[in-house]
Amino acid sequence: MTTVDTGSRRRGLKVMDEVYGTGFTDTLPSEYTPMLEKTVEHLFGEIWNRPGLSVRDRRLLVVGATAALGRADLIEIQVRGALANRELSAEELREAVLQLQYYVGWGNGTQVNNGVEAALRAHEKEDKR
Protein backbone atom coordinates (compact mmCIF):
# COMPACT_ATOMS: atom_id res chain seq x y z
CA MET A 1 0.00 0.00 0.00
CA THR A 2 1.11 3.57 -0.57
CA THR A 3 1.17 6.58 1.72
CA VAL A 4 -2.22 8.13 2.39
CA ASP A 5 -2.90 11.85 2.06
CA THR A 6 -5.83 12.00 4.50
CA GLY A 7 -6.94 15.45 3.26
CA SER A 8 -7.20 14.22 -0.32
CA ARG A 9 -8.87 11.04 0.83
CA ARG A 10 -11.45 12.88 2.95
CA ARG A 11 -12.18 15.27 0.09
CA GLY A 12 -12.40 12.40 -2.40
CA LEU A 13 -14.76 10.37 -0.22
CA LYS A 14 -17.00 13.41 0.25
CA VAL A 15 -17.15 14.02 -3.50
CA MET A 16 -17.78 10.33 -4.23
CA ASP A 17 -20.82 10.45 -1.95
CA GLU A 18 -21.95 13.64 -3.71
CA VAL A 19 -21.56 11.98 -7.12
CA TYR A 20 -23.02 8.55 -6.36
CA GLY A 21 -25.30 9.22 -3.41
CA THR A 22 -24.89 9.37 0.34
CA GLY A 23 -23.45 6.18 1.74
CA PHE A 24 -21.76 5.05 -1.48
CA THR A 25 -18.34 5.21 0.13
CA ASP A 26 -19.53 2.90 2.91
CA THR A 27 -19.43 0.13 0.28
CA LEU A 28 -15.70 0.61 -0.40
CA PRO A 29 -13.25 -1.90 1.05
CA SER A 30 -11.41 -0.84 4.19
CA GLU A 31 -8.04 -1.59 2.61
CA TYR A 32 -7.24 0.44 -0.47
CA THR A 33 -5.37 -0.93 -3.44
CA PRO A 34 -3.21 1.63 -5.25
CA MET A 35 -5.92 1.91 -7.95
CA LEU A 36 -8.68 2.63 -5.43
CA GLU A 37 -6.45 5.07 -3.57
CA LYS A 38 -5.80 7.11 -6.73
CA THR A 39 -9.46 6.90 -7.71
CA VAL A 40 -10.56 8.37 -4.38
CA GLU A 41 -7.76 10.87 -3.83
CA HIS A 42 -7.03 12.05 -7.36
CA LEU A 43 -10.06 11.37 -9.56
CA PHE A 44 -12.66 12.37 -6.98
CA GLY A 45 -10.59 14.53 -4.63
CA GLU A 46 -9.16 16.64 -7.44
CA ILE A 47 -10.74 16.07 -10.87
CA TRP A 48 -14.45 15.71 -10.02
CA ASN A 49 -13.93 18.45 -7.42
CA ARG A 50 -12.67 21.07 -9.90
CA PRO A 51 -14.73 24.14 -10.76
CA GLY A 52 -15.84 24.71 -14.33
CA LEU A 53 -18.23 21.79 -14.84
CA SER A 54 -21.10 20.67 -12.67
CA VAL A 55 -21.37 17.10 -11.43
CA ARG A 56 -24.18 16.63 -13.98
CA ASP A 57 -21.94 17.87 -16.80
CA ARG A 58 -19.11 15.58 -15.73
CA ARG A 59 -21.52 12.66 -15.39
CA LEU A 60 -22.82 13.17 -18.95
CA LEU A 61 -19.24 13.13 -20.23
CA VAL A 62 -18.53 9.91 -18.33
CA VAL A 63 -21.75 8.33 -19.60
CA GLY A 64 -20.74 9.18 -23.17
CA ALA A 65 -17.25 7.79 -22.74
CA THR A 66 -18.54 4.70 -20.97
CA ALA A 67 -21.14 4.17 -23.67
CA ALA A 68 -18.32 3.80 -26.20
CA LEU A 69 -17.01 0.91 -24.09
CA GLY A 70 -20.40 -0.83 -24.08
CA ARG A 71 -20.32 -1.37 -20.32
CA ALA A 72 -23.86 -1.66 -18.96
CA ASP A 73 -22.53 -2.15 -15.42
CA LEU A 74 -20.64 1.16 -15.45
CA ILE A 75 -23.54 3.00 -17.07
CA GLU A 76 -25.81 1.67 -14.33
CA ILE A 77 -23.53 3.09 -11.62
CA GLN A 78 -23.55 6.52 -13.26
CA VAL A 79 -27.31 6.49 -13.80
CA ARG A 80 -27.97 5.46 -10.20
CA GLY A 81 -25.93 8.48 -9.12
CA ALA A 82 -27.79 10.76 -11.52
CA LEU A 83 -31.12 9.52 -10.19
CA ALA A 84 -30.03 9.79 -6.55
CA ASN A 85 -29.01 13.41 -7.17
CA ARG A 86 -32.06 14.16 -9.33
CA GLU A 87 -29.75 15.32 -12.12
CA LEU A 88 -31.53 13.48 -14.92
CA SER A 89 -35.07 12.20 -15.32
CA ALA A 90 -36.07 8.85 -16.80
CA GLU A 91 -37.15 10.67 -19.96
CA GLU A 92 -33.81 12.48 -20.28
CA LEU A 93 -31.90 9.25 -19.71
CA ARG A 94 -33.89 7.41 -22.36
CA GLU A 95 -33.33 10.30 -24.76
CA ALA A 96 -29.58 10.08 -24.04
CA VAL A 97 -29.71 6.35 -24.88
CA LEU A 98 -31.27 7.12 -28.24
CA GLN A 99 -28.71 9.84 -28.98
CA LEU A 100 -25.77 7.64 -27.98
CA GLN A 101 -27.09 4.63 -29.90
CA TYR A 102 -26.16 6.29 -33.19
CA TYR A 103 -22.70 7.39 -32.08
CA VAL A 104 -21.41 4.36 -30.18
CA GLY A 105 -22.88 1.62 -32.36
CA TRP A 106 -25.93 -0.52 -31.93
CA GLY A 107 -24.28 -3.17 -29.73
CA ASN A 108 -22.79 -0.63 -27.33
CA GLY A 109 -26.01 1.39 -27.41
CA THR A 110 -27.92 -1.71 -26.40
CA GLN A 111 -25.62 -2.07 -23.40
CA VAL A 112 -26.19 1.60 -22.52
CA ASN A 113 -29.93 0.94 -22.65
CA ASN A 114 -29.53 -2.15 -20.46
CA GLY A 115 -27.61 -0.16 -17.84
CA VAL A 116 -30.07 2.73 -17.87
CA GLU A 117 -33.10 0.48 -17.60
CA ALA A 118 -31.53 -1.56 -14.77
CA ALA A 119 -30.84 1.63 -12.84
CA LEU A 120 -34.36 2.92 -13.46
CA ARG A 121 -35.88 -0.36 -12.20
CA ALA A 122 -33.70 -0.27 -9.07
CA HIS A 123 -34.58 3.38 -8.46
CA GLU A 124 -38.29 2.63 -8.82
CA LYS A 125 -38.01 -0.21 -6.27
CA GLU A 126 -36.19 2.09 -3.84
CA ASP A 127 -38.89 4.76 -4.24
CA LYS A 128 -41.60 2.21 -3.35
CA ARG A 129 -39.96 1.44 0.01
Side-chain angles (χ1 to χ4, degrees), residues 14 22 28-29 54 59 66 73 77-78 80 97 106 118 125:
K14 179 179 178 286
T22 303
L28 298 177
S54 67
R59 186 179 317 282
T66 305
D73 56 333
I77 291 167
Q78 290 300 323
R80 283 176 175 249
V97 168
W106 217 253
K125 282 183 186 176

Side-chain angles (χ1 to χ4, degrees), residues 27-78:
T27 67
L28 298 177
S30 58
E31 285 199 36
Y32 282 32
T33 62
M35 188 276 301
L36 180 57
E37 180 181 303
K38 292 302 176 194
T39 299
V40 171
E41 294 175 11
H42 183 71
L43 179 59
F44 286 92
E46 296 178 29
I47 304 302
W48 276 83
N49 200 32
R50 290 178 54 81
L53 292 174
S54 67
V55 169
R56 182 182 188 271
D57 293 342
R58 290 180 192 280
R59 186 179 317 282
L60 286 170
L61 290 168
V62 172
V63 166
T66 305
L69 300 173
R71 294 284 306 272
D73 56 333
L74 299 178
I75 293 290
E76 185 176 351
I77 291 167
Q78 290 300 323

Side-chain angles (χ1 to χ4, degrees), residues 4-129:
V4 175
D5 175 346
T6 56
S8 292
R9 181 170 290 182
R10 261 193 313 273
R11 186 171 52 250
L13 292 171
K14 179 179 178 286
V15 172
M16 280 183 106
D17 275 343
E18 289 171 9
V19 170
Y20 295 118
T22 303
F24 178 83
T25 57
D26 295 338
T27 67
L28 298 177
S30 58
E31 285 199 36
Y32 282 32
T33 62
M35 188 276 301
L36 180 57
E37 180 181 303
K38 292 302 176 194
T39 299
V40 171
E41 294 175 11
H42 183 71
L43 179 59
F44 286 92
E46 296 178 29
I47 304 302
W48 276 83
N49 200 32
R50 290 178 54 81
L53 292 174
S54 67
V55 169
R56 182 182 188 271
D57 293 342
R58 290 180 192 280
R59 186 179 317 282
L60 286 170
L61 290 168
V62 172
V63 166
T66 305
L69 300 173
R71 294 284 306 272
D73 56 333
L74 299 178
I75 293 290
E76 185 176 351
I77 291 167
Q78 290 300 323
V79 171
R80 283 176 175 249
L83 293 167
N85 292 335
R86 294 183 165 87
E87 295 163 354
L88 296 164
S89 67
E91 295 77 23
E92 289 170 320
L93 289 162
R94 288 182 174 127
E95 192 64 29
V97 168
L98 181 60
Q99 181 75 22
L100 287 166
Q101 188 91 28
Y102 287 89
Y103 286 92
V104 300
W106 217 253
N108 286 348
T110 299
Q111 292 305 308
V112 172
N113 186 67
N114 291 345
V116 166
E117 293 301 326
L120 289 171
R121 284 190 301 275
H123 185 71
E124 188 176 297
K125 282 183 186 176
E126 290 169 8
D127 278 353
K128 288 182 179 180
R129 288 186 210 167

